Amino acid sequence: MDRMFTGLHKMDQQLFYKINGSKLYRSFFGMITHLGGSKISILSILSLAFISLFYPSIRPAVPQAFLVLSVSHIIMHFIKRSVKRIRPYLSLPDVMLHGHPFEDHSFPSGHATAIFSITIPFMLQFPAVIVILFPISVLVAYSRVVLGVHYPSDVLAGAFLALAIAVLVFVV
């Protein structure tokens, strides 16, 4: 079992270096990453609530997105405190860090959790928007690795956490 986890961790590090080593799009990803930040996430929910006054068809997805965002972030914080994974720029040599360093732990990614928490309820309600919302969500998650603050498995875990909570909320 240890060999399996060691192998997965090594693959995670190798993929991290391939993504983090890309200098070409660092400023683009430095901007897009904010779509998963707390200020934009909260502003998005409030904006969607306002927009739903004029477009009643989106009304059911707005409280679902708010609920998924809230529940997933509570769970994410408990996981971060339990796992205590050190961020890659603190544990790996030659990481290119873009932006300010974070004080909390790496696993799972809060930005990936947030963006998927907001977009998945809309993708479930309106499958046609997947072609827009899924690439945006993936770009935000990818940006966290490009910027050197998360491993690929951190962003996958954040996306999966958001998906799991969204499916539970959608079914119930």
Side-chain angles (χ1 to χ4, degrees), residues 21 32 39 54 57 60 62 70 81 86 96 128 135 140 144 148 154 168 171:
I32 199 141
K39 291 176 188 170
F54 305 100
S57 63
V62 175
S70 301
R81 288 185 183 135
I86 305 297
M96 288 189 272
V140 170
R144 306 308 290 159
D154 297 340
L168 285 173
V171 170

mmCIF file of all heavy atoms in Angstrom, residues 21 32 39 54 57 60 62 70 81 86 96 128 135 140 144 148 154 168 171:
data_model
loop_
_atom_site.group_PDB
_atom_site.id
_atom_site.type_symbol
_atom_site.label_atom_id
_atom_site.label_comp_id
_atom_site.label_asym_id
_atom_site.label_seq_id
_atom_site.Cartn_x
_atom_site.Cartn_y
_atom_site.Cartn_z
ATOM 1 N N GLY A 21 6.136 24.534 -14.600
ATOM 2 C CA GLY A 21 7.262 25.039 -15.364
ATOM 3 C C GLY A 21 6.877 25.917 -16.541
ATOM 4 O O GLY A 21 7.711 26.500 -17.197
ATOM 5 N N ILE A 32 -6.962 34.625 -13.923
ATOM 6 C CA ILE A 32 -8.105 33.705 -13.933
ATOM 7 C C ILE A 32 -8.273 32.978 -12.601
ATOM 8 O O ILE A 32 -9.370 32.592 -12.227
ATOM 9 C CB ILE A 32 -8.040 32.712 -15.114
ATOM 10 C CG1 ILE A 32 -9.430 32.119 -15.343
ATOM 11 C CG2 ILE A 32 -7.049 31.600 -14.865
ATOM 12 C CD1 ILE A 32 -9.792 31.928 -16.748
ATOM 13 N N LYS A 39 -13.720 36.184 -2.524
ATOM 14 C CA LYS A 39 -14.450 37.420 -2.868
ATOM 15 C C LYS A 39 -15.283 37.237 -4.128
ATOM 16 O O LYS A 39 -16.464 37.601 -4.151
ATOM 17 C CB LYS A 39 -13.465 38.579 -3.057
ATOM 18 C CG LYS A 39 -12.806 39.019 -1.780
ATOM 19 C CD LYS A 39 -11.772 40.089 -2.041
ATOM 20 C CE LYS A 39 -10.994 40.362 -0.764
ATOM 21 N NZ LYS A 39 -9.833 41.200 -1.000
ATOM 22 N N PHE A 54 -34.652 38.442 -12.717
ATOM 23 C CA PHE A 54 -35.055 38.725 -14.087
ATOM 24 C C PHE A 54 -35.135 37.473 -14.963
ATOM 25 O O PHE A 54 -35.763 37.492 -16.013
ATOM 26 C CB PHE A 54 -34.085 39.731 -14.717
ATOM 27 C CG PHE A 54 -33.965 40.991 -13.905
ATOM 28 C CD1 PHE A 54 -32.892 41.183 -13.055
ATOM 29 C CD2 PHE A 54 -34.957 41.967 -13.960
ATOM 30 C CE1 PHE A 54 -32.785 42.336 -12.288
ATOM 31 C CE2 PHE A 54 -34.858 43.120 -13.196
ATOM 32 C CZ PHE A 54 -33.772 43.309 -12.355
ATOM 33 N N SER A 57 -35.815 31.124 -14.565
ATOM 34 C CA SER A 57 -35.421 29.742 -14.856
ATOM 35 C C SER A 57 -34.161 29.333 -14.096
ATOM 36 O O SER A 57 -33.953 28.143 -13.845
ATOM 37 C CB SER A 57 -35.212 29.548 -16.361
ATOM 38 O OG SER A 57 -34.153 30.371 -16.809
ATOM 39 N N PRO A 60 -33.755 27.971 -9.239
ATOM 40 C CA PRO A 60 -33.438 26.772 -8.446
ATOM 41 C C PRO A 60 -31.934 26.509 -8.302
ATOM 42 O O PRO A 60 -31.484 25.988 -7.287
ATOM 43 C CB PRO A 60 -34.102 25.625 -9.220
ATOM 44 C CG PRO A 60 -35.122 26.270 -10.088
ATOM 45 C CD PRO A 60 -34.613 27.646 -10.390
ATOM 46 N N VAL A 62 -29.476 28.740 -8.091
ATOM 47 C CA VAL A 62 -28.757 29.713 -7.258
ATOM 48 C C VAL A 62 -28.646 29.243 -5.802
ATOM 49 O O VAL A 62 -27.536 29.192 -5.260
ATOM 50 C CB VAL A 62 -29.378 31.125 -7.366
ATOM 51 C CG1 VAL A 62 -28.709 32.089 -6.401
ATOM 52 C CG2 VAL A 62 -29.280 31.637 -8.798
ATOM 53 N N SER A 70 -21.174 26.476 0.385
ATOM 54 C CA SER A 70 -21.075 26.534 1.850
ATOM 55 C C SER A 70 -20.666 25.192 2.455
ATOM 56 O O SER A 70 -19.716 25.121 3.239
ATOM 57 C CB SER A 70 -22.417 26.973 2.453
ATOM 58 O OG SER A 70 -22.795 28.224 1.955
ATOM 59 N N ARG A 81 -7.289 20.666 7.595
ATOM 60 C CA ARG A 81 -6.742 20.577 8.957
ATOM 61 C C ARG A 81 -6.362 19.143 9.322
ATOM 62 O O ARG A 81 -5.472 18.934 10.146
ATOM 63 C CB ARG A 81 -7.746 21.130 9.957
ATOM 64 C CG ARG A 81 -7.865 22.627 9.865
ATOM 65 C CD ARG A 81 -8.758 23.194 10.937
ATOM 66 N NE ARG A 81 -8.893 24.624 10.754
ATOM 67 C CZ ARG A 81 -10.022 25.273 10.829
ATOM 68 N NH1 ARG A 81 -11.142 24.629 11.113
ATOM 69 N NH2 ARG A 81 -10.061 26.572 10.647
ATOM 70 N N ILE A 86 1.629 19.938 2.990
ATOM 71 C CA ILE A 86 2.442 21.136 2.782
ATOM 72 C C ILE A 86 2.340 21.553 1.313
ATOM 73 O O ILE A 86 2.385 20.716 0.407
ATOM 74 C CB ILE A 86 3.925 20.859 3.142
ATOM 75 C CG1 ILE A 86 4.044 20.329 4.573
ATOM 76 C CG2 ILE A 86 4.782 22.105 2.935
ATOM 77 C CD1 ILE A 86 3.602 21.283 5.638
ATOM 78 N N MET A 96 8.257 27.443 -9.168
ATOM 79 C CA MET A 96 8.028 28.832 -9.549
ATOM 80 C C MET A 96 6.727 29.301 -8.904
ATOM 81 O O MET A 96 5.643 28.917 -9.345
ATOM 82 C CB MET A 96 7.970 28.963 -11.062
ATOM 83 C CG MET A 96 9.317 28.785 -11.714
ATOM 84 S SD MET A 96 9.278 29.198 -13.456
ATOM 85 C CE MET A 96 8.792 27.622 -14.138
ATOM 86 N N ALA A 128 -26.469 22.565 -21.400
ATOM 87 C CA ALA A 128 -25.898 23.318 -22.523
ATOM 88 C C ALA A 128 -24.768 24.253 -22.080
ATOM 89 O O ALA A 128 -23.871 24.560 -22.870
ATOM 90 C CB ALA A 128 -26.990 24.128 -23.227
ATOM 91 N N PRO A 135 -14.895 24.434 -19.000
ATOM 92 C CA PRO A 135 -13.542 24.935 -19.297
ATOM 93 C C PRO A 135 -13.083 26.051 -18.346
ATOM 94 O O PRO A 135 -11.913 26.089 -17.955
ATOM 95 C CB PRO A 135 -13.651 25.457 -20.732
ATOM 96 C CG PRO A 135 -14.782 24.703 -21.316
ATOM 97 C CD PRO A 135 -15.751 24.488 -20.191
ATOM 98 N N VAL A 140 -9.414 27.519 -13.873
ATOM 99 C CA VAL A 140 -9.153 28.006 -12.502
ATOM 100 C C VAL A 140 -8.379 26.948 -11.726
ATOM 101 O O VAL A 140 -7.377 27.249 -11.068
ATOM 102 C CB VAL A 140 -10.460 28.383 -11.775
ATOM 103 C CG1 VAL A 140 -10.206 28.655 -10.294
ATOM 104 C CG2 VAL A 140 -11.100 29.600 -12.431
ATOM 105 N N ARG A 144 -4.039 26.990 -10.353
ATOM 106 C CA ARG A 144 -3.483 26.806 -9.013
ATOM 107 C C ARG A 144 -2.167 26.030 -9.072
ATOM 108 O O ARG A 144 -1.265 26.254 -8.269
ATOM 109 C CB ARG A 144 -4.487 26.081 -8.103
ATOM 110 C CG ARG A 144 -5.860 26.730 -8.037
ATOM 111 C CD ARG A 144 -5.803 28.201 -7.691
ATOM 112 N NE ARG A 144 -5.393 28.360 -6.299
ATOM 113 C CZ ARG A 144 -4.873 29.468 -5.789
ATOM 114 N NH1 ARG A 144 -4.672 30.526 -6.524
ATOM 115 N NH2 ARG A 144 -4.527 29.522 -4.519
ATOM 116 N N GLY A 148 1.954 27.474 -8.698
ATOM 117 C CA GLY A 148 2.831 26.837 -7.727
ATOM 118 C C GLY A 148 2.269 26.647 -6.338
ATOM 119 O O GLY A 148 3.006 26.315 -5.420
ATOM 120 N N ASP A 154 -4.459 18.055 -5.534
ATOM 121 C CA ASP A 154 -5.197 19.000 -4.690
ATOM 122 C C ASP A 154 -6.408 19.569 -5.426
ATOM 123 O O ASP A 154 -7.501 19.667 -4.870
ATOM 124 C CB ASP A 154 -4.308 20.180 -4.260
ATOM 125 C CG ASP A 154 -3.123 19.789 -3.415
ATOM 126 O OD1 ASP A 154 -3.129 18.694 -2.824
ATOM 127 O OD2 ASP A 154 -2.173 20.598 -3.341
ATOM 128 N N LEU A 168 -25.252 15.354 -4.254
ATOM 129 C CA LEU A 168 -26.108 15.134 -3.073
ATOM 130 C C LEU A 168 -27.198 16.193 -2.981
ATOM 131 O O LEU A 168 -28.362 15.875 -2.724
ATOM 132 C CB LEU A 168 -25.271 15.129 -1.789
ATOM 133 C CG LEU A 168 -24.433 13.893 -1.534
ATOM 134 C CD1 LEU A 168 -23.539 14.112 -0.309
ATOM 135 C CD2 LEU A 168 -25.332 12.677 -1.319
ATOM 136 N N VAL A 171 -29.785 15.723 -5.874
ATOM 137 C CA VAL A 171 -30.656 14.548 -5.710
ATOM 138 C C VAL A 171 -31.679 14.770 -4.606
ATOM 139 O O VAL A 171 -32.822 14.341 -4.720
ATOM 140 C CB VAL A 171 -29.812 13.276 -5.449
ATOM 141 C CG1 VAL A 171 -30.679 12.105 -5.048
ATOM 142 C CG2 VAL A 171 -28.989 12.934 -6.666
#
